[in-house]
Amino acid sequence: MSGYILKRLGLSAAVILTVLLILFSLLRLIPGNPVTIALGPQATPAAIANYSAKMNLDQPVWIQFATYARNVVTGDLGEDIFTGRKVSTIVGEQIGHSLLLMVAAMGWAIVLGIPLGCLAAVRPNTWLDRITGVLSVGTIAIPSFLMAIWALLILSVQLRWLPAMGAGEPGDITDQAIHLILPAFAVGLGWVGYLARMVRASMLEVLGEPFIRSARAFGLMPRSVIFRYALPVAILPTITLIGMGFGGLISSAVFAEIIFARPGVGKLIYDSVQARNFPIVQGAVVVTTALYILVVLLSDLLVSWIDPRVRHIL
Amino acid sequence: MTQITLSRRGFLASSTAFTALALAGNLPTAAQAQAEKVLRLRMDGDIKILDPGYMIGGIEIEAQKQCLPFLAQYKRDGNTIGWEPTYYVTKLEQRDATHIDFELAEGFSWSGGHGALKASDVKFSYERMKGTEWGGYFEVLDRVEVTGERTGTIVLTKPFAPFFLVTLCHGPGAILCEKAVTEAGGRFTTQFPAVCGPYLFNNAPGQAANFLPNPEWTGPKPEFDGVQAKIITQVKATELAYEAGELDCTQIDSDAVARYQAGPPAGSELTKAGELNFMWLGMNTEHPKLQDVRVRRAIQHAVDVDSIIAAAYSNVATKSCGIVCPGLIGHRTATKFYTYDPGEARALLSEAGVSGLKLTLRTLNTQQPMLVAQIIQANLGAIGVTLDVIPLDAGPFWEMGMESAGETWKDLELWTMRFGSVPDPYEASQWFVSSQVGNWNWERWTNPEYDTLVEQGIAESDPEKRNDIYLRLQDIMEETGAYVWLCHEPRYYVHRSGINVNVSPSGQQDYRLFTSI
């Protein structure tokens, strides 16, 4: 297991380095001088020279990248163009809100999607299976931003059942939970469908396996066969899907954070792109990428812990 | 296996229990709302730099107005914008063209035990501004003489008529606590080192800016105990938040103005703050295709501004005839050298011997400027001019006429532009002087009379003479043929009928001056 962990960690580091390189190159390809953007077109030559030196922009590009990569490794993501505050502090203030939204969205998708998938698999080709299928495909097909707008218009503006904007009063957990309902619903709905489809397909495959037939032949209770023997095996690809889906959740969260005016990394990136605040864009993307890789790593480790056979596949 | 059943009786009992719980849960909130009168507003972004010397402007100025002292504030008299002393002063008088005497009111003190508000704070704040990014507003300031604990004189190097409106009433006129700012290292970002206003500032990044009651405040009590300014970047989202009952007042877009004028949300009213934006179609007079003034005149005659206002601004914007905005000295209500006349436009092109003309128009890639560009494209198409619209992101757009930012200025032909102003005509006019060619005068014409008039307008204190100066100055601009004036976009706010909003002409809300009926 430790060998597997080491290999996975090495692979994760390589992916992060590649992302850093691509991100660094892309930001330098965007038209417009970052110094002019930061200081405004009326900046004096002295101010431009000072700022260029401070941002390391007077160095060759490869040195700029090496310095940047070294700083990132040591946790220094640079400074906000406008306030001079540390990017790590600014991202740190926002990341919790995004994580909460993603966990809530995926949480309710898991709670609903996995049982739905199980039900559909246990009763294949029945009305329950068909309804689950239609609902799953329907929710997958609706973009999360559209779902967010509908939910907002109906549940907040028309019915006024739920708050429309913000993340709730800081320190008031109930208020924060209420403010989380709509965005989590909008972001998580598509995942109900994904998970239900995935669990159904896996369950059908596993339920046809010889060890399940043996379990049934030994007279085990149907519930026990499904939950103790079939589901733990069928859930493996779902765990991988959840891990891989974290990236998709981040992009859905961007929409939700903008539409519901929630704080979060997605909104931070959006606002920073608008303001051409590249250090924040860079820092926030690096942090979310690292988080994504961490989640994928954890899901892979979980799968390998449940099913030791996958440790040999890398 | 246990089955979950729900009888009719059970359903009724559960519903009643849930309703009772919900009501019980709401009671404390309702009681609290009665006890504390909180005003809920919108901010369009996070507070970045509260320091008046280094701020971005806009929302930061809103925060400064609640927490820092000012000597003067805007006063609206019908459509005219003027100024009046704030409650921080007992005297604010222009002794002569270059001396302004002030006396601070007694009893105001800075938070955190930083002592009383003193004339030395005014001296520190204003003289400090000269060396900051907003130093242009204090270019004519020579010094502030402190004549007593609470008295002093602002000394200008030369007469500067707009000083009260554009400097003292605006964000750069904020007074800081010398002791606290010095202790903070001379600059600050997202927290005030000390406040002297009815509210304390509490920032929740990405969420809201909260203005809480200042327990040390001895001045007039504001109508609202607290203000919560929620950060909502998208203006459409803010309209939804208002309609969902989560805001008491918010700025809205032109299309929403038209919709709300036809039928506002229940219990709501609209208030127009001001129209301090001016929009125009610019032409590069040095470009080979546009060097002939007859070609530029043809374009002036070809553009149907009324259609632009109807289609892109839902008929809520005021037709523009110059750079000076409505409500200010020197505002023009008619153009002098052109009207919409496609026939005249074709005749001028023919006279200039121009046919098959192809031009480019650069514009911001957002919805409204794109709509404007498409209408202009159709208008010019009607006189035989082919127009390619080049949509640009904000970054390259705002530097395309800057000589310091590359070579794009040489290729510039037409563009749509929008400048914001302050409540005095001097600011709008200063961007078109000869020295601004290659900087902000992207039309690239020079006129010595214009340059002289700008200087005269700044120094002149007689309103009638100033009016004549700014009218003449705009005639010169129009005569170059380099401008098609488009419109002045108003800032509209929708708010609950029970609230009187106080918004500066440039759109900053002054929460402490909001009242309720």
Side-chain angles (χ1 to χ4, degrees):
Chain A
M1 184 75 179
S2 54
Y4 176 75
I5 293 173
L6 276 177
K7 273 194 275 184
R8 291 293 288 109
L9 282 174
L11 192 62
S12 300
V15 172
I16 289 181
L17 195 67
T18 310
V19 168
L20 279 181
L21 186 60
I22 293 171
L23 183 65
F24 184 84
S25 312
L26 282 176
L27 285 173
R28 261 116 197 111
L29 288 174
I30 291 174
N33 181 353
V35 183
T36 315
I37 291 160
L39 300 178
Q42 298 185 67
T44 61
I48 290 172
N50 281 341
Y51 193 83
S52 298
K54 188 181 166 192
M55 298 286 288
N56 226 14
L57 293 168
D58 54 349
Q59 299 290 321
V61 176
W62 69 270
I63 293 182
Q64 287 181 40
F65 178 71
T67 313
Y68 173 63
R70 192 187 60 221
N71 289 345
V72 168
V73 170
T74 57
D76 179 5
L77 299 175
E79 287 178 1
D80 175 4
I81 281 177
F82 299 107
T83 63
R85 293 176 74 209
K86 282 194 172 301
V87 171
S88 51
T89 309
I90 294 170
V91 175
E93 285 167 354
Q94 304 296 319
I95 194 85
H97 294 287
S98 296
L99 284 175
L100 189 65
L101 174 61
M102 285 186 246
V103 167
M106 191 52 96
W108 86 266
I110 289 170
V111 166
L112 213 63
I114 292 178
L116 268 179
C118 286
L119 274 177
V122 171
R123 303 264 184 276
N125 302 318
T126 59
W127 62 271
L128 184 74
D129 185 23
R130 289 194 189 96
I131 288 175
T132 311
V134 170
L135 283 176
S136 304
V137 175
T139 54
I140 292 166
I142 300 170
S144 58
F145 72 89
L146 208 57
M147 186 49 68
I149 292 169
W150 284 345
L152 187 63
L153 285 171
I154 297 167
L155 297 171
S156 289
V157 177
Q158 290 298 322
L159 300 171
R160 295 203 177 181
W161 286 353
L162 291 165
M165 300 288 150
E169 284 297 313
D172 185 344
I173 293 170
T174 312
D175 194 41
Q176 288 178 1
I178 290 169
H179 277 80
L180 198 58
I181 295 172
L182 271 188
F185 166 74
V187 173
L189 189 65
W191 282 95
V192 175
Y194 274 125
L195 296 181
R197 299 306 294 168
M198 175 60 86
V199 170
R200 179 188 178 276
S202 306
M203 282 289 281
L204 281 176
E205 198 182 321
V206 173
L207 287 173
E209 293 282 327
F211 75 95
I212 297 292
R213 279 206 304 276
S214 304
R216 280 177 174 152
F218 276 103
L220 290 176
M221 293 278 286
R223 199 192 305 173
S224 178
V225 172
I226 290 163
F227 291 108
R228 285 187 61 189
Y229 294 94
L231 190 58
V233 179
I235 205 78
L236 292 177
T238 310
I239 293 172
T240 308
L241 177 73
I242 292 169
M244 298 293 285
F246 191 76
L249 269 180
I250 293 171
S251 57
S252 301
V254 174
F255 287 113
E257 284 167 5
I258 292 164
I259 292 167
F260 294 101
R262 279 182 67 84
V265 174
K267 189 157 161 283
L268 180 71
I269 294 175
Y270 176 81
D271 291 342
S272 305
V273 169
Q274 298 280 312
R276 302 296 186 278
N277 200 339
F278 293 135
I280 291 195
V281 177
Q282 216 161 245
V285 171
V286 167
V287 171
T288 46
T289 305
L291 264 175
Y292 174 57
I293 289 166
L294 180 70
V295 171
V296 171
L297 176 68
L298 287 177
S299 70
D300 282 356
L301 292 179
L302 186 62
V303 169
S304 71
W305 180 66
I306 296 171
D307 184 357
R309 289 173 301 174
V310 300
R311 292 174 204 171
H312 308 292
I313 310 163
L314 188 68
Chain B
M1 190 173 160
T2 312
Q3 280 197 328
I4 300 167
T5 53
L6 185 63
S7 66
R8 192 176 64 90
R9 189 185 296 272
F11 172 75
L12 288 172
S14 311
S15 308
T16 311
F18 274 121
T19 311
L21 266 174
L23 284 173
N26 279 336
L27 274 175
T29 317
Q32 199 179 0
Q34 273 183 345
E36 263 194 24
K37 214 169 161 185
V38 176
L39 182 65
R40 299 162 311 160
L41 306 166
R42 173 233 181 181
M43 271 190 173
D44 62 8
D46 246 328
I47 291 281
K48 291 188 173 68
I49 304 176
L50 289 169
D51 191 326
Y54 305 93
M55 63 186 171
I56 312 293
I59 51 176
E60 280 94 358
I61 295 176
E62 282 189 6
Q64 290 158 7
K65 295 255 174 175
Q66 317 318 311
C67 303
L68 299 176
F70 284 74
L71 297 182
Q73 63 191 21
Y74 293 115
K75 180 185 156 192
R76 191 180 289 271
D77 187 8
N79 279 332
T80 311
I81 299 153
W83 68 271
E84 64 185 1
T86 62
Y87 45 58
Y88 289 98
V89 291
T90 49
K91 177 185 166 187
L92 183 65
E93 286 173 6
Q94 181 131 30
R95 194 199 317 156
D96 57 42
T98 55
H99 290 81
I100 301 162
D101 296 326
F102 68 88
E103 181 180 33
L104 296 168
E106 204 171 352
F108 289 108
S109 54
W110 294 102
S111 63
H114 287 99
L117 171 64
K118 293 181 287 195
S120 57
D121 291 323
V122 179
K123 179 181 173 64
F124 167 77
S125 306
Y126 290 178
E127 292 182 358
R128 169 185 186 266
M129 286 298 288
K130 282 170 74 76
T132 66
E133 289 170 9
W134 287 71
Y137 284 79
F138 287 85
E139 209 171 65
V140 296
L141 178 78
D142 180 25
R143 64 191 183 279
V144 177
E145 286 173 358
V146 176
T147 53
E149 180 88 344
R150 290 182 288 104
T151 55
T153 301
I154 299 167
V155 184
L156 307 181
T157 53
K158 60 181 179 182
F160 186 64
F163 195 72
F164 283 90
L165 277 174
V166 307
T167 308
L168 295 186
C169 293
H170 199 38
I175 300 164
L176 302 172
C177 173
E178 181 179 9
K179 189 171 169 229
V181 173
T182 309
E183 282 171 10
R187 278 174 76 159
F188 53 97
T189 54
T190 54
Q191 290 297 331
F192 292 110
V195 302
C196 177
Y199 297 116
L200 299 173
F201 178 73
N202 178 277
N203 195 24
Q207 284 196 75
N210 296 300
F211 296 88
L212 312 166
N214 178 2
E216 296 174 52
W217 177 243
T218 52
K221 190 178 182 299
E223 183 84 34
F224 294 90
D225 300 312
V227 181
Q228 187 186 46
K230 293 183 179 181
I231 295 166
I232 307 175
T233 43
Q234 296 298 303
V235 74
K236 288 294 162 203
T238 205
E239 286 159 21
L240 287 178
Y242 182 83
E243 288 179 29
E246 290 182 26
L247 298 175
D248 299 315
C249 172
T250 181
Q251 193 189 346
I252 50 172
D253 253 356
S254 306
D255 59 337
V257 174
R259 186 159 48 91
Y260 286 166
Q261 276 176 340
S268 301
E269 282 176 20
L270 292 180
T271 291
K272 186 162 90 173
E275 297 168 284
L276 295 185
N277 296 314
F278 50 108
M279 277 156 268
W280 74 90
L281 168 71
M283 297 174 228
N284 182 354
T285 56
E286 285 183 2
H287 194 279
K289 290 181 188 174
L290 294 161
Q291 275 174 348
D292 189 332
V293 71
R294 288 171 297 186
V295 176
R296 301 199 295 268
R297 277 284 155 72
I299 294 169
Q300 284 182 319
H301 283 293
V303 177
D304 182 3
V305 177
D306 290 328
S307 296
I308 290 173
I309 293 172
Y313 295 95
S314 309
N315 266 331
V316 297
T318 304
K319 190 173 179 176
S320 173
C321 300
I323 52 171
V324 179
C325 301
L328 306 184
I329 287 172
H331 174 62
R332 284 169 113 212
T333 52
T335 46
K336 193 169 178 181
F337 299 99
Y338 71 86
T339 51
Y340 173 54
D341 188 347
E344 179 65 21
R346 282 189 211 98
L348 280 164
L349 284 181
S350 170
E351 191 186 316
V354 173
S355 63
L357 181 62
K358 287 185 179 175
L359 292 169
T360 57
L361 184 149
R362 290 167 202 251
T363 184
L364 274 171
N365 59 0
T366 50
Q367 189 188 348
Q368 221 161 32
M370 285 298 293
L371 257 176
V372 173
Q374 283 160 12
I375 297 165
I376 293 171
Q377 190 178 38
N379 289 158
L380 295 191
I383 62 160
V385 176
T386 308
L387 189 69
D388 281 336
V389 175
I390 305 176
L392 290 167
D393 210 13
F397 178 85
W398 287 106
E399 59 180 33
M400 62 189 182
M402 301 284 178
E403 288 181 15
S404 58
E407 302 287 302
T408 315
W409 62 272
K410 290 180 183 169
D411 300 327
L412 262 186
E413 295 174 8
L414 307 183
W415 62 93
T416 54
M417 186 51 109
R418 177 183 190 265
F419 275 10
S421 187
V422 292
D424 192 276
Y426 110 94
E427 169 147 317
S429 59
Q430 67 178 336
W431 308 114
F432 307 98
V433 294
S434 306
S435 59
Q436 285 287 335
V437 172
N439 197 18
W440 287 113
N441 180 353
W442 295 0
E443 289 78 14
R444 305 184 67 83
W445 54 271
T446 58
N447 183 311
E449 186 192 352
Y450 183 92
D451 296 351
T452 311
L453 284 168
V454 169
E455 289 304 314
Q456 285 176 1
I458 290 169
E460 182 58 63
S461 54
D462 183 331
E464 281 186 22
K465 287 181 184 168
R466 285 195 91 201
N467 194 53
D468 292 342
I469 288 170
Y470 287 107
L471 288 177
R472 171 66 195 138
L473 185 145
Q474 290 171 95
D475 286 351
I476 294 170
M477 290 183 80
E478 191 184 314
E479 205 175 355
T480 64
Y483 302 87
V484 181
W485 312 119
L486 299 177
C487 62
H488 300 282
E489 191 183 4
R491 286 174 191 270
Y492 267 100
Y493 289 76
V494 62
H495 56 91
R496 307 289 163 212
S497 301
I499 296 173
N500 286 325
V501 303
N502 187 298
V503 187
S504 76
S506 46
Q508 284 86 43
Q509 302 166 102
D510 201 347
Y511 322 142
R512 60 176 158 182
L513 298 177
F514 274 49
T515 57
S516 64
I517 300 162

